[in-house]
Amino acid sequence: MAGIGGTGVVTVGALITMAAHLEGKGASVLDFTGFAQKGGAVISHIRLGRSPASLNQVRIADGCADAVVACDIVVGTDPRSLRVLAKDRTRVLVNHSEVPSGQFVRNRNADIRMQERIGALAGAVGSDRLHTVEANEIMERILGNTVYSNVFLLGHAWQQGLVPVSHEALERAIELNGVNVKENLRAFSWGRIAARDYDYVASVAGLLDVISLPPSLDDIVEHRSGLLVQYQNQAYAARYREFVARVREREQAVKPGATALTEAVAKNLYKLMAYKDEYEVARLYSDGEFRDKLATTFAGDYRLEIHLAPPIFNRGLDEQGRPRKTTFGPWMLRAFGLLARFKGLRGSWLDPFGRLPDRREERALIQDYRALVEELLADLSRANHGVATECAELPDQVRGYGPVKSKSVAQYRQQRENLLHRFHHPDDIVQLQQAS
């Protein structure tokens, strides 16, 4: 079993060994948990035998694993996991779900390269001995929590014949564990069903309903225009559509059939125009969708607390140099509803938040980006089309709030200058490549 701490990898190993014990079989488990109790790599070596005397070691030797259940693809392709695989011997079950790793803390654009990792596993054991399943998504949709994903994978693996203990013994082990017994038994059963009829389980989870072709450029523009109407008004959305239309016209004149530049502008101009200010945060929390999610996620008696750092209640900075937050009760949702009605003041001289440094910077970013795109269109050619698209995608780097966002804006502006130099001086790149 290969996964991350805090998700039940060790528990699944314990369930298997308990089931073996109940049947009088030999069983051992060796857990490698790394330095992190939660979120760190966890690899469990589980050995089963006809009797305790048949087990001569606890660690699975290199190339000797009969089955590997990769609850997390990153840990499943860790060198410590890969070395136990053997061609035409090991069967592998993979949770085809991306779980953020430590890389995402250091690099917001980190890519775990899912397909490359899947390919590495297929190359190690043979593609016919590799199975993937969307365990996290299925359990989130059916049972409401990804915490059951590993027991779901256990059921899937058992149904494939990868876990040589009886169904009755595993269910009894789950009961003896005593934690969310009913839900874990359901997760185990859903895993078994998925191994036999994955399409049925996917349809129950609603996964088949969301499989569709990528949206067209027209779909992107239409969808974001509608969002901007909700954000501000029809006139605001019209300015967005008109600018994107100009980019599209110019791109088609330079490179007929290409849409990459226009798509980049359509996505990133929208992102800048729909910046999350006080009015938008208030609208999103008071439009009813948030309350509906609360109602479907929680039941019984619970209390809602909202943590904010409004500029009018400045409490200084915390240890990380970020504004300290204040805790508000559920009455804040009513205040949000009232504040959302005044979104028409956004950017006007009556806007009480409009003179805040963050708001001035966000409005300036919109004008700065439009000017950048205008500069790209004026000198656009087939040769620099790719670099122009890179420039147009730069606002994707601008994320976060407060000091976090300010830092990303500084990085955005530095990258913009570097890319603009490449855009206007392509010969410099050619000469550099020739010299190397």
Side-chain angles (χ1 to χ4, degrees):
M1 300 288 300
I4 56 178
T7 62
V9 179
V10 172
T11 299
V12 170
L15 293 176
I16 295 173
T17 53
M18 173 56 75
H21 172 74
L22 293 172
E23 295 184 321
K25 296 177 178 177
S28 67
V29 59
L30 176 63
D31 297 320
F32 295 89
T33 57
F35 293 105
Q37 182 179 7
K38 291 186 177 182
V42 175
I43 299 174
S44 294
H45 290 239
I46 304 168
R47 292 175 61 85
L48 304 176
R50 295 184 183 277
S51 66
S54 64
L55 300 178
N56 52 18
Q57 66 184 61
V58 293
R59 184 168 185 159
I60 298 175
D62 293 355
C64 292
D66 295 302
V68 169
V69 179
C71 304
D72 175 74
I73 185 63
V74 175
V75 183
T77 51
D78 184 288
R80 294 171 295 174
S81 300
L82 292 175
R83 68 168 61 107
V84 303
L85 303 178
K87 192 82 168 181
D88 299 325
R89 169 177 176 154
T90 312
R91 294 173 64 186
V92 180
L93 175 63
V94 177
N95 181 6
H96 195 276
S97 301
E98 291 194 18
V99 179
S101 65
Q103 286 181 299
F104 287 83
V105 177
R106 299 185 296 270
N107 178 11
R108 69 187 70 185
N109 297 310
D111 183 359
I112 69 171
R113 305 191 303 278
M114 174 70 77
Q115 292 309 119
E116 291 182 27
R117 294 178 184 274
I118 294 291
L121 291 171
V125 301
S127 58
D128 60 324
R129 304 182 72 82
L130 174 70
H131 296 273
T132 63
V133 59
E134 298 280 354
N136 284 22
E137 190 72 14
I138 289 173
M139 287 293 93
E140 174 73 29
R141 289 167 175 261
I142 293 181
L143 294 185
N145 201 320
T146 60
V147 73
Y148 303 110
S149 300
N150 291 350
V151 176
F152 170 89
L153 289 167
L154 174 61
H156 197 292
W158 184 90
Q159 191 66 34
Q160 292 187 52
L162 305 185
V163 186
V165 293
S166 70
H167 170 255
E168 293 77 15
L170 272 175
E171 288 200 332
R172 180 56 180 155
I174 292 173
E175 292 170 355
L176 290 173
N177 186 49
V179 178
N180 297 336
V181 174
K182 181 180 178 181
E183 292 80 3
N184 278 307
L185 288 173
R186 290 181 62 197
F188 181 75
S189 296
W190 277 113
R192 293 182 58 204
I193 297 170
R196 296 298 299 270
D197 191 347
Y198 183 75
D199 287 345
Y200 168 72
V201 175
S203 67
V204 172
L207 294 182
L208 298 183
D209 299 335
V210 300
I211 298 176
S212 60
L213 295 175
S216 66
L217 176 57
D218 289 333
D219 292 336
I220 293 172
V221 175
E222 184 66 24
H223 176 63
R224 284 163 171 76
S225 295
L227 293 177
L228 287 175
V229 172
Q230 298 175 42
Y231 179 85
Q232 184 76 348
N233 52 38
Q234 290 284 357
Y236 197 66
R239 291 201 295 272
Y240 165 80
R241 290 194 301 270
E242 290 167 2
F243 191 83
V244 174
R246 287 179 50 212
V247 176
R248 189 175 195 174
E249 182 180 2
R250 175 61 176 158
E251 183 177 28
Q252 292 306 302
V254 172
K255 194 174 182 179
T259 61
L261 176 60
T262 309
E263 286 186 18
V265 173
K267 293 175 181 179
N268 288 282
L269 178 59
Y270 162 78
K271 175 182 177 176
L272 295 178
M273 292 181 69
Y275 59 89
K276 297 298 186 295
D277 61 2
E278 290 76 9
Y279 303 110
E280 181 64 357
V281 170
R283 184 185 73 83
L284 293 174
Y285 274 109
S286 62
D287 66 357
E289 184 176 347
F290 177 68
R291 289 182 181 273
D292 291 342
K293 287 183 178 179
L294 286 178
T296 57
T297 305
F298 302 100
D301 186 20
Y302 63 88
R303 173 177 172 79
L304 181 67
E305 291 185 347
I306 302 171
H307 303 270
L308 303 168
I312 56 176
F313 298 124
N314 191 339
R315 297 181 55 218
L317 304 179
D318 61 16
E319 296 78 6
Q320 295 179 297
R322 302 177 183 181
R324 293 185 183 276
K325 294 186 178 182
T326 301
T327 302
F328 299 89
W331 62 268
M332 181 56 72
L333 292 180
R334 294 191 296 273
F336 280 154
L338 178 63
L339 178 60
R341 298 178 184 177
F342 291 90
K343 67 178 183 178
L345 298 178
R346 178 185 284 121
S348 72
W349 65 273
L350 290 174
D351 183 0
F353 308 106
R355 295 179 181 83
L356 295 174
D358 288 351
R359 302 298 160 259
R360 292 201 303 267
E361 183 174 65
E362 286 161 341
R363 292 196 301 271
L365 279 172
I366 300 172
Q367 301 306 317
D368 176 85
Y369 183 67
R370 289 172 65 100
L372 168 65
V373 175
E374 294 278 12
E375 183 176 348
L376 297 174
L377 297 182
D379 203 20
L380 187 65
S381 67
R382 294 182 67 90
N384 60 24
H385 178 270
V387 180
T389 302
E390 288 186 62
C391 287
E393 291 173 341
L394 282 176
D396 187 51
Q397 306 295 319
V398 179
R399 304 179 192 178
Y401 299 91
V404 175
K405 187 169 188 176
S406 296
K407 183 178 179 180
S408 69
V409 169
Q411 294 172 343
Y412 153 73
R413 288 182 170 138
Q414 179 61 49
Q415 293 176 350
R416 179 192 61 185
E417 295 306 313
N418 294 338
L419 282 174
L420 275 177
H421 181 83
R422 286 176 53 195
F423 177 80
H424 290 299
H425 304 89
D427 291 341
D428 292 354
I429 306 300
V430 174
Q431 291 173 7
L432 181 61
Q433 292 174 340
Q434 291 175 345
S436 61

